[in-house]
Amino acid sequence: MYADWLSGIPAFSDHPLLRWAFALTLGAALFFAIGAALRLLRARLQRPAARPLMRAVAQVLQRTSHFVLLVMAILISAEIAAAPMPWSGRNAQHLWFVVLALQLALWLDRAVDVGLEQALASRGQVNTVTATLFRFLLRTLVWIVALLAMLDNLGVNITALVASLGIGGVAVALAVQTILSDLFASISIGLDKPFEAGDFIVFGQVAGSIEHVGLKTTRIRSLGGEQIVCSNTELLKQTIQNYKRMQQRRIVFTVRVTYQTDVERAAAVPGLIRAQIERQPDTRFDRAHLARFGDNALEYEAVYYVMTADYNRYMDIQQEINLGIMRELEAADIALALPERLVHITRRGGPAAPPQPPAYQ
């Protein structure tokens, strides 16, 4: 319709250069008009009152390519002006598909970044190496699919290409399966977060603080000061105890008093222990009982909770409890039991010696 209208003007009927001049002028106008419309749309989507999804869409639209917009504007204007093309109509369709696929890939590439940023921000702190690797894999997938779609539209037989890539991928995967296993283990650590840098963990015979989680290995600073490097795959196969995430520590300890203690004073010992535990801050008393009759002592078992994961703080509290129990037992004239052994001595070739009093060691 536009071509017929222009053909009615004598100046345009037989002058392809004039048609192209008109097409380029119209294309420039379309380019600036579309760019202005996109800027206006982004401004409306980025308003403070807009929903997070709308702001995310605005960030994706920022990846719109000016080159792609210019090519699209020229193609539209050339169609309107019926400017002579140096290629056939089918080639024009291929060009349209390539341009649209390229712009769609750019938007998806940006959408991956925006989506991962929002997803990781909602999960809190995430290992940056793992986040970067995950972003790289998704963006690579987007561009591979876009490239294959372009080649298929241009008439390239991608079946053999995909098959060869698949065979080559299997061969590479078999050759580097250990490395790939560690890479995916690193992604699992970053997403599931069984531990983070700074956490104190124990697994097997290893105890230490996490220094760095890499693509292949995790570095741990042990209590002895040396650095331990462990494969990510082997680390995830272990049962890991993460002490940094401990909210409270359950403590069980025993107090042993002699059998010379009478019943009334023996019955008062649990109360003495409880009073010493409740006197300390950051503790929660659970129980204290005469648990058993030992070989040479009355054994009291006490249980309480320290409301912090700090091991040094726990030891300070336990020390104050032990000293307090010693003071209270001494004031109540109750003796702590010591390990004892009864020794009988006999004379060779003579009568047995009279029993001796117990010897304490």
Side-chain angles (χ1 to χ4, degrees):
M1 180 179 67
Y2 299 105
D4 295 340
W5 174 72
L6 290 174
S7 298
I9 303 175
F12 284 89
S13 59
D14 298 322
H15 295 82
L17 292 180
L18 292 179
R19 288 181 178 271
W20 267 110
F22 177 76
L24 292 176
T25 303
L26 181 60
L30 286 175
F31 172 75
F32 288 110
I34 296 174
L38 286 175
R39 286 193 295 271
L40 179 61
L41 178 60
R42 288 201 303 266
R44 293 181 62 86
L45 292 176
Q46 289 177 334
R47 291 179 300 176
R51 296 179 180 179
L53 179 59
M54 297 296 101
R55 291 195 292 270
V57 172
Q59 294 179 15
V60 172
L61 290 178
Q62 288 179 352
R63 195 65 190 275
T64 303
S65 172
H66 291 169
F67 173 76
V68 171
L69 286 182
L70 180 60
V71 173
M72 292 177 62
I74 293 176
L75 288 176
I76 294 173
S77 61
E79 183 69 22
I80 293 175
M85 294 289 185
W87 52 73
S88 63
R90 184 173 179 81
N91 291 331
Q93 294 178 0
H94 292 327
L95 181 59
W96 267 108
F97 182 87
V98 169
V99 170
L100 292 177
L102 177 61
Q103 183 56 66
L104 182 60
L106 290 172
W107 282 338
L108 289 176
D109 183 86
R110 180 58 178 163
V112 167
D113 283 341
V114 175
L116 280 179
E117 288 176 1
Q118 294 187 353
L120 298 179
S122 64
R123 295 176 62 89
Q125 183 181 3
V126 178
N127 182 270
T128 56
V129 175
T130 303
T132 302
L133 176 62
F134 201 57
R135 181 180 291 107
F136 172 77
L137 292 176
L138 289 178
R139 294 175 67 178
T140 301
L141 178 63
V142 167
W143 284 106
I144 288 177
V145 172
L147 179 60
L148 292 177
M150 293 178 191
L151 292 176
D152 182 65
N153 184 264
L154 292 174
V156 178
N157 185 9
I158 64 171
T159 303
L161 177 61
V162 172
S164 62
L165 289 177
I167 296 174
V170 171
V172 172
L174 291 176
V176 296
Q177 59 180 356
T178 303
I179 297 177
L180 292 177
S181 177
D182 289 329
L183 289 177
F184 285 107
S186 176
I187 295 176
S188 177
I189 293 173
L191 296 178
D192 194 45
K193 294 193 296 186
F195 51 81
E196 298 172 350
D199 289 4
F200 184 87
I201 66 171
V202 175
F203 64 95
Q205 301 298 320
V206 178
S209 299
I210 300 294
E211 284 193 338
H212 176 72
V213 180
L215 292 177
K216 190 177 188 306
T217 61
T218 295
R219 294 193 285 272
I220 304 169
R221 183 66 61 180
S222 73
L223 293 176
E226 70 274 14
Q227 186 182 74
I228 300 174
V229 181
C230 182
S231 166
N232 290 331
T233 303
E234 294 300 323
L235 184 58
L236 289 184
K237 292 180 181 179
Q238 307 286 334
T239 299
I240 300 172
Q241 297 174 276
N242 192 331
Y243 282 91
K244 185 176 180 180
R245 298 179 185 177
M246 178 188 294
Q247 298 179 353
Q248 61 183 13
R249 187 184 296 269
R250 185 176 185 268
I251 308 301
V252 180
F253 69 98
T254 302
V255 177
R256 304 170 70 252
V257 302
T258 63
Y259 275 112
Q260 283 73 28
T261 306
D262 57 49
V263 176
E264 289 74 13
R265 288 183 295 174
V269 172
L272 298 178
I273 298 175
R274 177 171 185 171
Q276 293 304 314
I277 294 175
E278 293 180 341
R279 185 175 299 175
Q280 303 300 321
D282 299 328
T283 60
R284 178 167 61 85
F285 175 79
D286 186 20
R287 61 180 176 84
H289 299 92
L290 174 57
R292 64 190 66 85
F293 296 100
D295 292 338
N296 47 30
L298 300 174
E299 297 183 358
Y300 293 85
E301 185 176 82
V303 179
Y304 71 98
Y305 292 89
V306 178
M307 312 307 293
T308 177
D310 188 354
Y311 187 81
N312 290 335
R313 177 58 180 156
Y314 148 63
M315 290 303 299
D316 291 339
I317 292 174
Q318 186 63 54
Q319 176 178 262
E320 293 299 322
I321 291 174
N322 292 339
L323 294 175
I325 291 174
M326 291 179 64
R327 296 189 189 99
E328 293 295 330
L329 292 180
E330 183 178 358
D333 195 21
I334 301 175
L336 290 171
L338 299 175
E340 62 180 23
R341 183 180 302 168
L342 184 61
V343 180
H344 295 277
I345 303 175
T346 59
R347 297 177 180 176
R348 286 188 178 182
Q356 300 294 324
Y360 296 96
Q361 297 181 358

